[in-house]
Amino acid sequence: MKTYQDLLRTGSGERMDFVYGLIREHQGSALYAQARLGDDYNRRRNTTILRYQRTLRTLSGRIIPDRWSPDHKLTSAFFQRFVAQEVQYLLGNGVTWQKPDTAARLGKGFDSVLQRLGEQALTGGCAFGFWNLDHLEGFSLLEFAPLYHEETGALSAGVRFWQLSPEKPLRATLYEPEGYTEYLWEDGQGRILRDRQPYKVIARFTPAGGEEEVRSENYPGFPIVPLWGNPQHQSELVGLQEQIDAYDLIKSGFAGDLDNAQVYWILHNTGGMDDVDLAEFLERLHTVRAAAVDTDAGAGVESHTVEIPSQAREMLLDRLSRDLYRDAMALDTEALAAGAVTATQIRAAYEPLNSKTDRFEYCVLDFLLAILSLAGIEDTPTFTRSAMLNIQEDVSTILSAADCLDREYVKNKILTLLGDGDQGKA
């Protein structure tokens, strides 16, 4: 594992090889593999079910792919739903600042970048925010190789890299506290695109001399800040993948059985046929709906109809779904929408999600305070979480206490519950 101290010990002529080696080491690390897996499941490319291959065993014991049976590969959206729910629950309404000019100083699109970073942090375990003079940029673990300090564990340098395809050039930028350097590798050869540049360049323009550099400077600290998805510093997929895989495999197998297994066949006096021959026989039956047998030789075909064991599978799928929501500490909105629930029941259903989001909020707060320090802004971020409400019950509670409350407060509170809070403040 390469560290920031390894970079400091590298000579100027060896830095290009160090950067290239860091990229390859990072792409082969367990951290990168975990981030790749989380990204795949978040995109509903559930790895296990998509790679699953039915097999047959021949009479000689050889295992071959089963190309005759239905091969449904149904991917569930559990992980995508859990990640989107947590990110939007905390960051869906944006960050609230105490000072009116903070949002403008952080640049346009700050909340959008923060939401994307939050999603990458939950899927991959970590994401990185780069404060670039007057706006925030985001890097995922799939495009940024970090270099941590051996003594403090702080992120002290790193390399952002990208490559459109294996035959295209590899681009990389080495970020250090003193500035950044750009590299390119093409046809096996590497070169420096731009020597180390400072992060901030103050320039002025005069009619006589044109644009002139007045001074250049860097930030008081390293301008890239890690955003962790949880205190464990791991993908939220950890501990859930196996249950998601089980759900996908059972559901896909169930669909295959319904498509192919309502009838099974007994072939008499055909002991010389192996599994492949039997599969080809079934394929022909499904294709032409007929089979030719030699009755003089005692051969025969006998069909039997069986009932698909659907109830047990449906119960297991339902159990897996409920267990996934419980273990992911997520909110199952279908359970709340099933009937009339009280405000107390709604609050109780939100408690697991609140507890999980509280952990994530501390990580986001640490990240934001570090970004504010780099930007030279003093402010306190807060969040407004979105939640389902039993509006009728909440309005009745407010009206029951209306005699003891200010009339304007009662009006604004009810308008807020009805989703018209801005009008109530006008």
Side-chain angles (χ1 to χ4, degrees):
M1 174 183 179
K2 290 180 172 61
T3 64
Y4 178 59
Q5 276 67 29
D6 294 329
L7 175 64
L8 296 179
R9 288 189 288 265
T10 303
S12 58
E14 302 171 331
R15 288 214 156 189
M16 185 182 299
D17 291 337
F18 178 89
V19 169
Y20 187 83
L22 174 64
I23 294 172
R24 296 312 181 204
E25 178 188 89
H26 179 66
Q27 290 178 322
S29 67
L31 197 65
Y32 185 91
Q34 184 183 87
R36 171 62 67 191
L37 193 63
D39 183 69
D40 285 341
Y41 275 73
N42 190 45
R43 296 174 185 271
R44 297 188 65 177
R45 297 199 297 261
N46 299 5
T47 306
T48 301
I49 187 63
L50 291 179
R51 293 179 180 174
Y52 177 74
Q53 175 63 59
R54 287 174 176 259
T55 59
L56 291 173
R57 184 182 296 273
T58 65
L59 292 177
S60 62
R62 189 165 58 96
I63 297 177
I64 63 172
D66 182 0
R67 299 186 300 271
W68 300 274
S69 301
D71 191 20
H72 300 293
K73 295 184 177 182
L74 309 180
T75 59
S76 60
F78 282 108
F79 189 61
Q80 184 186 69
R81 189 181 305 126
F82 297 154
V83 170
Q85 186 180 89
E86 185 173 356
V87 171
Q88 296 305 315
Y89 186 50
L90 179 66
L91 303 174
N93 293 315
V95 185
T96 302
W97 304 100
Q98 309 306 310
K99 296 180 180 179
D101 63 334
T102 298
R105 294 177 64 184
L106 289 173
K108 293 182 179 180
F110 180 85
D111 287 322
S112 298
V113 176
L114 183 60
Q115 284 192 37
R116 187 168 66 252
L117 283 172
E119 181 175 339
Q120 292 169 348
L122 294 177
T123 57
C126 185
F128 303 89
F130 171 40
W131 179 248
N132 191 359
L133 186 61
D134 59 357
H135 66 282
L136 180 66
E137 297 179 14
F139 308 146
S140 76
L141 259 175
L142 299 177
E143 60 180 332
F144 186 79
L147 286 170
Y148 295 100
H149 198 284
E150 293 178 4
E151 298 176 3
T152 65
L155 179 65
S156 301
V159 174
R160 190 206 176 191
F161 57 92
W162 64 98
Q163 188 175 21
L164 295 180
S165 62
E167 66 274 7
K168 298 299 181 182
L170 169 65
R171 289 284 303 272
T173 303
L174 170 63
Y175 294 95
E176 306 172 78
E178 299 80 15
Y180 64 95
T181 310
E182 296 182 354
Y183 300 91
L184 180 142
W185 287 267
E186 189 173 15
D187 298 327
Q189 300 296 320
R191 59 188 173 94
I192 298 176
L193 283 181
R194 182 182 296 182
D195 288 318
R196 182 188 288 171
Q197 301 290 316
Y199 289 107
K200 295 190 287 186
V201 176
I202 310 301
R204 68 181 178 185
F205 181 84
T206 60
E211 185 174 335
E212 300 176 353
E213 181 178 327
V214 178
R215 73 176 190 276
S216 59
E217 60 185 36
N218 292 307
Y219 296 98
F222 186 54
I224 298 180
V225 180
L227 170 59
W228 300 102
N230 48 59
Q232 290 76 32
H233 296 181
Q234 64 184 18
S235 169
E236 288 288 311
L237 183 63
V238 175
L240 299 177
Q241 181 191 349
E242 294 78 9
Q243 294 187 68
I244 294 174
D245 291 344
Y247 187 95
D248 291 346
L249 288 168
I250 293 171
K251 187 175 180 179
S252 299
F254 194 9
D257 288 346
L258 288 175
D259 188 25
N260 194 46
Q262 288 108 344
V263 177
Y264 72 90
W265 302 82
I266 296 178
L267 278 63
H268 299 283
N269 294 325
T270 56
M273 297 176 65
D274 62 12
D275 288 351
V276 175
D277 297 327
L278 292 173
E280 290 176 345
F281 171 79
L282 286 178
E283 184 182 31
R284 182 170 180 81
L285 276 180
H286 291 154
T287 304
V288 301
R289 304 292 180 180
V293 294
D294 188 356
T295 56
D296 294 337
V301 178
E302 183 181 347
S303 66
H304 294 267
T305 304
V306 296
E307 182 180 353
I308 302 298
S310 60
Q311 184 176 1
R313 299 189 192 188
E314 289 175 355
M315 290 177 62
L316 182 54
L317 288 174
D318 183 63
R319 173 65 180 271
L320 284 170
S321 177
R322 285 186 281 110
D323 286 351
L324 275 164
Y325 273 97
R326 183 196 62 210
D327 294 344
M329 302 177 70
L331 176 69
D332 187 357
T333 54
E334 291 185 6
L336 291 180
V341 292
T342 65
T344 301
Q345 290 174 314
I346 293 176
R347 283 192 291 269
Y350 267 95
E351 272 313 295
L353 179 59
N354 275 318
S355 298
K356 179 176 66 170
T357 307
D358 286 343
R359 298 187 312 166
F360 183 43
E361 182 174 335
Y362 282 116
C363 297
V364 175
L365 284 173
D366 290 342
F367 172 81
L368 289 176
L369 292 177
I371 293 295
L372 291 177
S373 177
L374 290 168
I377 300 174
E378 293 186 5
D379 206 335
T380 303
T382 57
F383 307 93
T384 302
R385 300 184 183 182
S386 301
M388 294 174 58
L389 299 172
N390 186 326
I391 297 178
Q392 182 177 0
E393 184 175 341
D394 287 344
V395 169
S396 299
T397 302
I398 294 172
L399 291 177
S400 65
D403 293 339
C404 305
L405 300 172
D406 178 73
R407 181 180 179 85
E408 191 68 18
Y409 172 83
V410 172
K411 182 185 76 172
N412 289 338
K413 195 70 174 176
I414 293 177
L415 288 173
T416 299
L417 288 173
L418 296 176
D420 202 12
D422 293 336
Q423 244 184 1
K425 296 176 184 177

